[in-house]
Structures are given as C-alpha cells and as structure tokens.
Amino acid sequence: AQESRSFASVIEPWHRAHDANTTLRMLDEHEQRYPRGIMRLESRVLRADIYLAQAREREALVVLDGLSLTGIPRARELQTTRGELRIKFGRCADGKRDLNEVLVKGLADAQAKRAVQALSRCP
C-alpha cells in the first residue's frame, strides 16, 4: 500500500502539469525506496514516456531495452516505439525483431503502419 501511494504521488506532477523534472526526481526517489517493488514496471514505463516526451530518445531506449513487454497493456505500442528507436540508432536486427512481432499481431492499425515505415529504413 505504501508503494502504491508513493507511485501515485510520483505520477501526479506528470499528469497534472507535465512537470518532467519534478516527476523524474520523484521517480528516482521512489525507485530507490522500492527497487524491486510491485510498481517497478509502471515506474520504468513512466520514465520512458517522460524521456520520449522530452525527445531524450537514447535514454528512453535504454529504459525500454531493459523491459520485458510481454503481457502488459501497452505492449504493442511500446514494442513499436522500441523497434523504431532500435532502428534509428543502428540496431536493425533488434528493431526488426520487435516490429515483426508487432505486425504478427495486426496489419491495419497505426502501430502496424509505424512498424512498416520503420522497417523500410533497414536493409
């Protein structure tokens, strides 16, 4: 319960005012307090989202690389983003693996279109 309350206080400045600096500082404190907590995945996804919103793509990729996306609600979206970033930063094989998995799960939505576009940039 304490961890959940802590995480709720962390996301408030982000959701209320998109205050990235405050949220990242609070996220650092939360992750230090609960390094193996039940909100660890949500914490990492929030960090990646903030980095992406700040155009800190390399840092977002480091976070996304460390996550298993299987079975989480935004898995396909995050896998698309991770695949795009991997390709952007010269990791075509890794990016292709992510994006081909996205395409296996659907061919006619926005994620699929992004995946096809990103795949076209890889030999």
Side-chain angles (χ1 to χ4, degrees), residues 21-88:
N21 293 330
T22 298
T23 305
L24 288 171
R25 180 182 48 75
M26 292 174 71
L27 201 49
D28 289 342
E29 293 168 3
H30 173 84
E31 289 177 343
Q32 286 175 357
R33 222 173 301 135
Y34 304 100
R36 290 179 186 77
I38 60 170
M39 304 298 293
R40 175 104 173 117
L41 178 61
E42 290 84 352
S43 175
R44 302 309 295 161
V45 169
L46 176 61
R47 183 176 297 280
D49 283 340
I50 293 169
Y51 288 156
L52 290 167
Q54 294 183 309
R56 294 166 62 180
E57 294 176 328
R58 285 188 188 275
E59 289 164 289
L61 180 56
V62 168
V63 173
L64 292 172
D65 274 341
L67 298 179
S68 170
L69 302 176
T70 305
I72 67 171
R74 293 177 52 207
R76 198 156 173 267
E77 172 196 352
L78 293 168
Q79 195 167 27
T80 302
T81 300
R82 185 174 68 187
E84 290 169 327
L85 292 174
R86 285 174 166 177
I87 287 171
K88 181 176 184 173

Side-chain angles (χ1 to χ4, degrees), residues 83-123:
E84 290 169 327
L85 292 174
R86 285 174 166 177
I87 287 171
K88 181 176 184 173
F89 294 115
R91 295 172 48 201
C92 279
D94 293 334
K96 283 180 177 181
R97 199 169 27 258
D98 274 336
L99 297 173
N100 284 327
E101 214 172 294
V102 167
L103 293 173
V104 164
K105 296 173 184 166
L107 297 171
D109 64 356
Q111 303 308 323
K113 289 176 187 174
R114 286 174 52 196
V116 168
Q117 185 177 19
L119 286 167
S120 73
R121 289 178 286 204
C122 261

